Amino acid sequence: MGEQRSTASNEEVLARIAWSRLTEPRDRAAGLLLATLGAVEALHWLDRARQPIDRAGALAEVSGIDPEVDAKAWSRAVARWAPRLRDLDPRRELQVITRLGGSVLIPGDPAWPPGLDDLGPEAPHCLWTRGDPALLAMPAVAVVGSRASTAYGNHVSAELVAGLVDGGRAVVSGGAFGIDATAHRATLAVHGTPVAVMAGGLDRFYPAANAAMLTQVAQEGVVVSEAPPGTAPMRQRFLSRNRLIAALAGATVVVEASWRSGALSTAHHALTIGRPLAAVPGPITSAASAGCHRLLREGAECVTAASEVLQLLAPLGSVAEQVRDVPAGLLDDLDQGQAQVLDALPVRAAVDESALVRASGLSQAQVRSALGYLELAGRVRRDGPRWRRAGS
Amino acid sequence: MGEQRSTASNEEVLARIAWSRLTEPRDRAAGLLLATLGAVEALHWLDRARQPIDRAGALAEVSGIDPEVDAKAWSRAVARWAPRLRDLDPRRELQVITRLGGSVLIPGDPAWPPGLDDLGPEAPHCLWTRGDPALLAMPAVAVVGSRASTAYGNHVSAELVAGLVDGGRAVVSGGAFGIDATAHRATLAVHGTPVAVMAGGLDRFYPAANAAMLTQVAQEGVVVSEAPPGTAPMRQRFLSRNRLIAALAGATVVVEASWRSGALSTAHHALTIGRPLAAVPGPITSAASAGCHRLLREGAECVTAASEVLQLLAPLGSVAEQVRDVPAGLLDDLDQGQAQVLDALPVRAAVDESALVRASGLSQAQVRSALGYLELAGRVRRDGPRWRRAGS
C-alpha cells in the first residue's frame, strides 16, 4: 500500500510508525495527543516538550486536550516517550516489513478496519500486516479460548469455524496454542479467511511451534500486530493485544476458557466496546469450560452452533430498524447530549461509562448526567457496572 | 390429617375429593367455580345445572364469574363433569388413601403448600399424599430432566442434589426414569427430603420399576398427586403434573433435556408462575443437553453448582430489601393497580401477562394498562412475550 500514498500521507505513515515504537499499547495520553495534533505534529510537540527550555510552552499547548491527562500526566508521558526517540528509524522499519512482504496501515487507509476506531484513545497508531490487508474489510468473528484446550473444545472450534466461514465471515484469533490454533487451522482447512493478531513484531511468529501455520495464515489471510518488527511478545502485550482481536471482529465467541483464562480479557474488551459476546457451554465437570460458564452467568450469549453466532451479527440495516422501533415521541424529549449518549449505546450489548465517553465524544460529567436522565426515562438500565438500552 | 378436621371442613374435603374425580387437571372452569362458590356449594350447583329443568337458572347464577367462561362454556363444563357424578364415592376414596397410609390436603390446611395457589384457577382441588405432608412446607428446589439421561447428567444431578440438601432444601422431582430418579435417589442417599409428584393415583407407583424407590420416598419424604387413587397416568396427566412440580419448588433446575423433553414443560410452568428457572449446561455435542442450551438461550440462569441455585432463592428478607431499593419518590407516583401489578412481578424472573392477571387479581385490561404505564416509567420491560422488572 505504501507506494500508492502521497508525500503527505507517507509522512503520516512514518510518524505513526514512530509512535508505534515510542509507546506501549493502550497509552491513552498518546492516543489523545495524536487525535488532537495528528501524528506528525505530535512528534514535533514531543521534540519541544522534551527540551527543558520549551517544556512549559509545550505543556501549556496540550493542557486542555482531556481532563484525564493533567500537566503532571503529560510530563510523565514525555518522560516515557522521549528516551525512545534516539533509536527511532521509521524508514528502516518500513523497509523491514516490506521485505517481509508486509505493509503498514494507518487510519484513513481504505483497508484500515473501522472497528479499531471504537477503541478511542486506545486504538493502535498503525497496524503492521503480513498477507492481504484488504481482507480486514471482511465481516469477521473472533473465535478464542484456552491454550490448554480439550478434544471437546478443539472439535467444537472446528465445527463453529466451518459454519462461520460458510456464513462469509473471516475468523480472527490470536495464534496461540489450543483454541486459537484450532480456529486458524480449521479456517485454513475450509479455505476461509484467517486473521491472526500477534502480540509481538511480525518478523518472528510466536509461538515458534505455530510459525508454519501462521505463515500459511499470512498466505491465505492476514497476520497483524500493532507492534513494530523486533518487538518481543511480553505478557502485558498479550493482554493489550486482546482488545484488537475484539475490535477487529463483529462478535467474539469464547469456546473454552478456564476460570482465569486470557480469553476472558478478550471477552471483557468485546463488552467494553459494545460488541456481542458469546460463549460455548461445556460439561460443568470440565475446568476448561469454567470460564465460559462464568461468562454465561455474566450475560454472554449461549451459542451451540455457528448459525447462533451469525444471528448476533445483525446486518446494519436490521440494527437501524431496531433503533427506529422506539415509539414516536419518546426520542423527541431528549436533548442533544442525551440523544448522543443513547446513540452511542449499542443495540444489544452493555458498555461501561468510559466506553460511552469515548463513543459519544462527550465529557464524563455530560455522559453521567445524560445517563441519569435516560435511566429515569426508562431508556437505559444498569447492568452491573455497565449500561444497556432498556429494551435489550 | 382427616380425623382432626371439623365436620364442616370434612364436608369440604369430601367435596374436593369429588371435584378431583369429576375433573381433569387444569380445568379452569372448575377452578373458577370452586373459587367463587366453594367446593361444597359447587357440587350442589352442578346437581342443579345437570337437570334440564334447573339448568337455565344455574347457568344464570354463574354468568358473571369470569369473562373467559361464557354460558356455552359453562354448559360444556357441565357436560364434561356430570357423567362422572354417578360413580362418585368420596368416602371410599378417602378410605383407600388412608389405608395406603396417606392423606388428602385441601387449601387452608396447615400443610397445604402455598406455592400451589400461584396456579390460580389451575391449582389442584386437593392433594393426595403418601408420606409426611408437613414436609411440603420446607423450601424446595425442583431438579428435573431427561428420562434418557447420560452418565454426565446423572453425575451432575447427584452433585447438585447433595448441595441443595446441604443448603436445607427439599428436592422435588417427577419420579420418572433418568434425571428424576437420580434426583430422588441422590436425595435419599444424603438423607435429604425427597418430594415426588405423580401423574396418576398413589395406589400404584409409576413407573413400576421405580416403585421401590418411590416407596422409600414416601417413607423419608412425601409422594403427592392431584389424581385420586385408581387414576391411570396418561400422557396429558404427565404434562399437567409438571405445573405442580414447578409450583411446589422455589426454583426449577433442568439438568439434562433433549430439544423436546417434557422437562421443558416444567421449565415453562416455572416461568409462567414467576419462579426462577435454571439450566445446567453440558457438551453442545450431547443431544441430552440441547434442551438446556435452548433454555439458556431463552433466558434461564446458567448454573454449575448448588450454590448458584441457592443464590436464585433469595430469602424473603433480601427480596424485600431489593424492592425497597427503588429510589424514594418513584413508587409514589403509581396508582393502586400499577402498584399491584409491580408487586406481582417477581424480583428476578419474567412472567407473562396471564400470570400477572392471576397474581395481581386484576383484569387483563387493568393489567395491560398498568404495564403500559410501568413500561413508559421504566419500571418494567418486555422480555420476549413476558415482562420483568426493569432492574432485573
Side-chain angles (χ1 to χ4, degrees):
Chain A
M1 319 270 316
E3 60 279 18
Q4 294 154 1
R5 289 195 181 100
S6 66
T7 317
S9 67
N10 237 325
E11 198 187 359
E12 175 80 6
V13 171
L14 292 172
R16 286 190 165 264
I17 289 176
W19 280 106
S20 130
R21 175 67 77 187
L22 290 171
T23 63
E24 289 299 310
R26 306 187 70 183
D27 188 325
R28 295 176 64 86
L32 292 163
L33 189 71
L34 267 67
T36 310
L37 304 182
V40 176
E41 190 48 46
L43 273 183
H44 296 318
W45 177 86
L46 177 58
D47 214 37
R48 287 198 301 282
R50 72 181 173 134
Q51 320 278 1
I53 193 168
D54 292 333
R55 181 162 305 154
L59 291 181
E61 275 174 51
V62 297
S63 69
I65 287 184
D66 195 281
E68 83 177 71
V69 194
D70 60 13
K72 252 189 196 145
W74 284 119
S75 289
R76 283 197 305 270
V78 170
R80 277 197 304 275
W81 304 334
R84 292 184 177 174
L85 274 172
R86 201 174 26 190
D87 299 325
L88 219 52
D89 191 351
R91 269 174 221 286
R92 199 184 56 82
E93 314 249 36
L94 193 54
Q95 279 163 8
V96 170
I97 192 73
T98 308
R99 219 163 35 227
L100 290 166
S103 60
V104 177
L105 291 180
I106 62 168
D109 281 343
W112 179 259
L116 293 178
D117 299 337
D118 291 354
L119 295 168
E122 296 188 5
H125 306 309
C126 65
L127 213 52
W128 305 79
T129 70
R130 283 177 69 178
D132 182 358
L135 295 174
L136 293 170
M138 266 182 80
V141 172
V143 175
V144 298
S146 221
R147 283 174 176 71
S149 59
T150 69
Y152 168 72
N154 293 340
H155 170 77
V156 165
S157 306
E159 290 285 315
L160 211 54
V161 160
L164 293 173
V165 169
D166 225 39
R169 261 65 185 190
V171 176
V172 185
S173 199
F177 292 125
I179 299 297
D180 284 21
T182 305
H184 291 313
R185 288 208 173 91
T187 308
L188 290 165
V190 296
H191 307 292
T193 301
V195 177
V197 187
M198 302 282 99
L202 297 190
D203 52 321
R204 242 188 321 173
F205 286 145
Y206 180 92
N210 285 352
M213 175 195 79
L214 289 165
T215 302
Q216 219 187 326
V217 168
Q219 279 156 9
E220 308 292 327
V222 57
V223 183
V224 306
S225 174
E226 65 181 309
T231 310
M234 290 169 303
R235 180 178 154 70
Q236 193 49 48
R237 287 199 169 265
F238 279 105
L239 288 176
S240 43
R241 181 273 315 262
N242 289 339
R243 81 193 195 289
L244 303 186
I245 294 177
L248 287 170
T252 292
V253 186
V254 183
V255 176
E256 273 193 324
S258 61
W259 187 254
R260 294 188 180 282
S261 168
L264 301 186
S265 107
T266 312
H268 169 79
H269 286 299
L271 289 177
T272 304
I273 58 173
R275 303 289 165 82
L277 172 67
V280 176
I284 64 172
T285 47
S286 165
S289 286
C292 289
H293 298 146
R294 181 179 183 174
L295 291 174
L296 289 176
R297 287 176 56 75
E298 290 170 357
E301 191 81 7
C302 174
V303 292
T304 65
S307 59
E308 293 168 355
V309 177
L310 294 172
Q311 277 170 26
L312 293 175
L313 299 156
L316 284 177
S318 70
V319 170
E321 233 161 85
Q322 278 186 264
V323 172
R324 272 202 304 274
D325 237 351
V326 173
L330 276 182
L331 265 173
D332 307 342
D333 57 356
L334 301 183
D335 70 24
Q336 176 78 18
Q338 291 152 2
Q340 264 172 273
V341 170
L342 193 61
D343 279 348
L345 258 187
V347 171
R348 295 198 56 149
V351 295
D352 63 19
E353 201 185 69
S354 60
L356 284 175
V357 170
R358 291 199 296 278
S360 69
L362 300 172
S363 74
Q364 189 176 46
Q366 287 176 304
V367 167
R368 206 165 274 178
S369 137
L371 284 172
Y373 178 88
L374 291 168
E375 186 180 28
L376 282 173
R379 310 293 300 275
V380 304
R381 60 188 178 88
R382 286 169 202 277
D383 189 351
R386 295 192 290 275
W387 294 87
R388 55 166 70 238
R389 286 172 186 259
S392 77
Chain B
M1 316 269 317
E3 61 278 19
Q4 292 153 5
R5 290 199 180 98
S6 67
T7 317
S9 66
N10 238 325
E11 198 187 0
E12 174 80 5
V13 170
L14 293 172
R16 285 189 167 268
I17 289 176
W19 280 106
S20 128
R21 175 67 77 187
L22 290 172
T23 62
E24 289 300 310
R26 306 187 71 185
D27 188 324
R28 296 177 65 86
L32 293 162
L33 188 72
L34 266 68
T36 309
L37 304 183
V40 176
E41 190 48 46
L43 274 182
H44 296 319
W45 177 87
L46 177 57
D47 214 36
R48 286 200 301 284
R50 72 183 173 130
Q51 320 278 0
I53 194 166
D54 292 334
R55 181 162 304 152
L59 292 181
E61 276 176 50
V62 298
S63 69
I65 288 184
D66 195 282
E68 83 177 70
V69 193
D70 59 13
K72 252 189 198 144
W74 285 119
S75 289
R76 282 197 304 270
V78 171
R80 279 198 302 275
W81 306 332
R84 291 184 178 174
L85 275 173
R86 200 173 27 189
D87 299 326
L88 219 52
D89 192 352
R91 274 175 216 286
R92 199 184 56 83
E93 314 251 35
L94 192 54
Q95 281 164 6
V96 170
I97 193 72
T98 309
R99 218 161 36 225
L100 290 165
S103 60
V104 176
L105 292 181
I106 63 167
D109 281 342
W112 179 258
L116 292 179
D117 298 337
D118 291 354
L119 295 169
E122 296 188 6
H125 305 308
C126 65
L127 212 54
W128 305 80
T129 71
R130 284 178 69 179
D132 182 358
L135 295 174
L136 293 170
M138 267 183 78
V141 172
V143 176
V144 297
S146 221
R147 282 173 176 73
S149 60
T150 69
Y152 168 72
N154 293 340
H155 170 77
V156 165
S157 306
E159 289 285 314
L160 212 54
V161 160
L164 293 172
V165 169
D166 224 39
R169 260 66 186 192
V171 177
V172 185
S173 200
F177 293 125
I179 299 297
D180 285 19
T182 306
H184 291 312
R185 289 207 171 91
T187 307
L188 290 164
V190 296
H191 306 292
T193 303
V195 178
V197 187
M198 301 283 100
L202 298 189
D203 51 322
R204 240 188 323 175
F205 286 145
Y206 180 92
N210 286 351
M213 174 195 80
L214 290 165
T215 302
Q216 219 187 327
V217 168
Q219 279 156 9
E220 308 292 327
V222 56
V223 183
V224 305
S225 173
E226 65 181 309
T231 309
M234 290 169 303
R235 177 175 158 70
Q236 192 50 47
R237 287 201 169 263
F238 279 106
L239 289 175
S240 43
R241 181 271 317 261
N242 290 337
R243 81 193 194 289
L244 302 185
I245 295 177
L248 287 170
T252 292
V253 186
V254 182
V255 177
E256 273 193 323
S258 61
W259 187 255
R260 296 188 178 281
S261 168
L264 301 187
S265 108
T266 312
H268 169 80
H269 286 300
L271 289 178
T272 303
I273 58 174
R275 303 288 165 80
L277 171 68
V280 176
I284 63 171
T285 47
S286 165
S289 286
C292 289
H293 298 147
R294 181 180 181 172
L295 291 174
L296 290 176
R297 288 176 55 76
E298 289 169 358
E301 191 82 7
C302 174
V303 293
T304 65
S307 59
E308 293 167 354
V309 177
L310 294 173
Q311 276 170 28
L312 293 176
L313 298 157
L316 283 177
S318 70
V319 170
E321 233 160 85
Q322 277 185 265
V323 172
R324 274 202 303 275
D325 237 353
V326 172
L330 276 183
L331 266 174
D332 307 344
D333 56 357
L334 301 183
D335 70 24
Q336 175 77 17
Q338 291 152 4
Q340 265 172 272
V341 170
L342 194 61
D343 279 349
L345 257 187
V347 172
R348 296 199 55 150
V351 295
D352 63 18
E353 199 184 69
S354 60
L356 285 174
V357 169
R358 290 199 296 277
S360 67
L362 300 172
S363 73
Q364 188 176 46
Q366 286 174 305
V367 167
R368 205 166 274 177
S369 138
L371 284 171
Y373 178 89
L374 291 167
E375 185 180 30
L376 281 173
R379 310 294 299 277
V380 305
R381 62 187 176 86
R382 287 169 201 275
D383 189 351
R386 296 190 290 274
W387 293 88
R388 52 167 71 239
R389 286 171 186 263
S392 76

